[in-house]
Amino acid sequence: MGRMAQKCKQCGREIYFDGICISCRAENERNEILTLPQEAIDAAIHKICDEIRETEKLDKERHLFTKLLNYRDIDTAEIAKAAFEKRLFYPSEIYKDAPDDVLQAMLSMLKQDDIPSRLAGGLLLCLAIHGGEEVFHTFTELEKQPRKWQEKLYISPSVYATYGGWSYDGDGNALQTNFEKCYPMIKADANQRKHSPVKIGARTNEKCSYCGCTVVNLMEIDGRDSRLRFLGIDGNIKVKCCPSCVMNTDANLCRYSIDGESEIVYDSEPLNTEDYVRDSGIEELCSNSYILGESPVPPRYAADWEGGSSIGGFAFWIQDCDIRICPDCKKPMKYLAQIQWDTVLDGWEGNAYIEICKDCCLIAILHQQT
């Protein structure tokens, strides 16, 4: 006999265990980290460094590190020192604020021919997270003059760079693949949603030509709002897609104009043409009450399992960071937004990711899940 449905004791959501739901637990933990005084943060950083020095890994305190990084954007210089002493290169975010001596040592290691490819891959990720002019020049140098260890890597240094929010084109010109600011989507009420410059889910009168599902504007963004000036979008864009087919294609494409017009660009047939969402799912998706938060948050605020939906900053890539190449200009697109499916469609798994090429007025919508 299955467990009986009951209500989360905090939000009232239907769950099948006693207590509070996963989302509420994540929210409580986030609030706890957000209210930590600086002395508590300093103590936590010392604790993380101690574990690395004593065990040569970050295991027990890794969860704490991730939360402090995402919600408080801690300076990781001391952690990077401890990690480099033990030649620990995972998680790569440890090296976000690596001091110059550590940075130079890592760059020297990477330029060698005879290091193991696995070590080289770890170094590339760590350096990508750190970024900066010297890292950029080293990566472009490796593209022109590959080292022997690159033969065993499946992707180029330019792809590793996207984990840090940047890359470069075929001519070696630097490109940003992330927006520096991040705003969360927060729960409000239906009336507040009407006035929000960002909305998740809006019904259209179109039907998908493959599965018959109602086409939606998965996200509507009014870039003229003062909070969204960092996007450089002087108008209203609508991210149109079939929410059923987006789960079954490599990527959905949408051509937009800043006056709110958009159209789906079908470049491949979905793997499955069944309508999984149906009218009830469309109604649920389009009746959520998420609005744009009033204040910016750290760039990695949503880069976690329960990070929720957000605009800008960094995504939580469930599989791998996947910055697409614009099919028109052949340059890397820019990560724009993330939607955590189960916050707007009960029982759905994974995230939707929205990427944009402003030069070509093209958007890609990707889906990842475990």
Side-chain angles (χ1 to χ4, degrees):
M1 184 175 178
R3 294 185 178 182
M4 297 290 292
Q6 52 187 298
K7 301 290 186 181
C8 167
K9 294 180 179 178
Q10 184 165 317
C11 71
R13 187 179 188 178
E14 187 175 276
I15 55 177
Y16 289 85
F17 52 87
D18 187 42
I20 63 175
C21 67
I22 294 173
S23 295
C24 285
R25 286 204 299 268
E27 181 181 353
N28 293 345
E29 185 175 37
R30 183 185 299 118
N31 291 334
E32 182 180 345
I33 295 293
L34 289 172
T35 56
L36 280 179
Q38 187 58 48
E39 54 267 29
I41 293 176
D42 293 340
I45 290 173
H46 287 309
K47 182 190 266 189
I48 292 166
C49 291
D50 287 344
E51 181 188 358
I52 292 172
R53 292 190 176 104
E54 292 170 8
T55 68
E56 300 186 6
K57 60 184 179 180
L58 183 56
D59 187 6
K60 182 180 178 182
E61 305 299 342
R62 185 185 170 189
H63 182 77
L64 174 63
F65 166 75
T66 300
K67 301 302 179 184
L68 289 171
L69 177 71
N70 291 354
Y71 304 148
R72 299 298 292 269
D73 196 24
I74 58 169
D75 187 308
T76 67
E78 291 302 317
I79 303 173
K81 287 180 185 178
F84 188 73
E85 287 172 8
K86 300 299 181 181
R87 297 300 188 266
L88 174 67
F89 300 109
Y90 182 82
S92 52
E93 290 79 9
I94 285 173
Y95 290 92
K96 176 177 73 76
D97 303 301
D100 191 61
D101 59 335
V102 171
L103 175 65
Q104 297 303 324
M106 292 170 68
L107 290 171
S108 296
M109 292 172 65
L110 192 63
K111 292 175 182 179
Q112 298 174 21
D113 254 336
D114 57 353
I115 62 172
S117 57
R118 184 173 180 179
L119 171 59
L123 288 168
L124 285 168
L125 281 176
C126 294
L127 290 165
I129 296 295
H130 184 282
E133 189 171 344
E134 287 188 90
V135 173
F136 166 73
H137 287 305
T138 298
F139 276 46
T140 54
E141 176 193 325
L142 291 172
E143 296 277 5
K144 297 173 183 176
Q145 300 176 354
R147 302 306 192 261
K148 190 169 183 178
W149 47 261
Q150 288 176 252
E151 297 174 1
K152 296 184 179 180
L153 297 182
Y154 296 102
I155 56 177
S156 69
S158 64
V159 177
Y160 280 93
T162 62
Y163 283 80
W166 59 279
S167 191
Y168 40 88
D169 61 22
D171 297 322
N173 299 307
L175 300 168
Q176 289 297 122
T177 58
N178 281 63
F179 291 96
E180 292 182 357
K181 282 190 177 181
C182 178
Y183 278 83
M185 297 296 292
I186 61 174
K187 266 199 169 182
D189 57 45
N191 185 59
Q192 289 172 302
R193 185 182 192 268
K194 291 179 183 178
H195 304 287
S196 176
V198 181
K199 299 177 180 68
I200 299 173
R203 185 190 291 264
T204 75
N205 294 322
E206 299 177 36
K207 295 288 186 179
C208 175
S209 60
Y210 286 110
C211 71
C213 178
T214 296
V215 169
V216 300
N217 295 327
L218 187 61
M219 185 170 275
E220 296 182 349
I221 303 170
D222 187 348
R224 295 164 295 187
D225 186 276
S226 60
R227 287 165 288 181
L228 299 177
R229 285 176 185 160
F230 71 96
L231 296 178
I233 299 171
D234 188 23
N236 184 35
I237 65 174
K238 295 179 179 179
V239 181
K240 186 177 287 184
C241 74
C242 168
S244 183
C245 288
V246 80
M247 308 277 288
N248 295 293
T249 53
D250 184 48
N252 277 221
L253 297 176
C254 168
R255 181 92 50 193
Y256 73 89
S257 62
I258 60 171
D259 59 3
E261 295 297 321
S262 60
E263 62 175 340
I264 298 175
V265 180
Y266 292 103
D267 63 340
S268 62
E269 186 172 340
L271 298 175
N272 193 310
T273 55
E274 180 180 349
D275 177 5
Y276 289 102
V277 184
R278 306 188 185 280
D279 286 342
S280 59
I282 295 295
E283 178 61 29
E284 182 183 2
L285 172 62
C286 297
S287 62
N288 73 83
S289 58
Y290 281 91
I291 67 170
L292 185 71
E294 285 298 323
S295 302
V297 291
R300 288 178 172 80
Y301 190 87
D304 203 355
W305 275 105
E306 297 297 327
S309 304
S310 60
I311 305 290
F314 287 82
F316 174 64
W317 297 102
I318 296 173
Q319 296 167 12
D320 290 314
C321 179
D322 190 358
I323 299 297
R324 294 303 173 97
I325 299 299
C326 173
D328 288 359
C329 67
K330 311 304 179 185
K331 295 179 182 179
M333 302 183 84
K334 199 166 185 178
Y335 165 73
L336 175 64
Q338 167 179 288
I339 297 173
Q340 186 176 315
W341 281 122
D342 67 2
T343 63
V344 292
L345 279 168
D346 191 34
W348 275 43
E349 183 185 355
N351 289 343
Y353 307 95
I354 300 170
E355 299 175 4
I356 189 170
C357 176
K358 292 191 293 180
D359 291 338
C360 302
C361 293
L362 199 64
I363 282 174
I365 307 107
L366 291 67
H367 166 81
Q368 289 186 6
Q369 68 181 69
T370 53

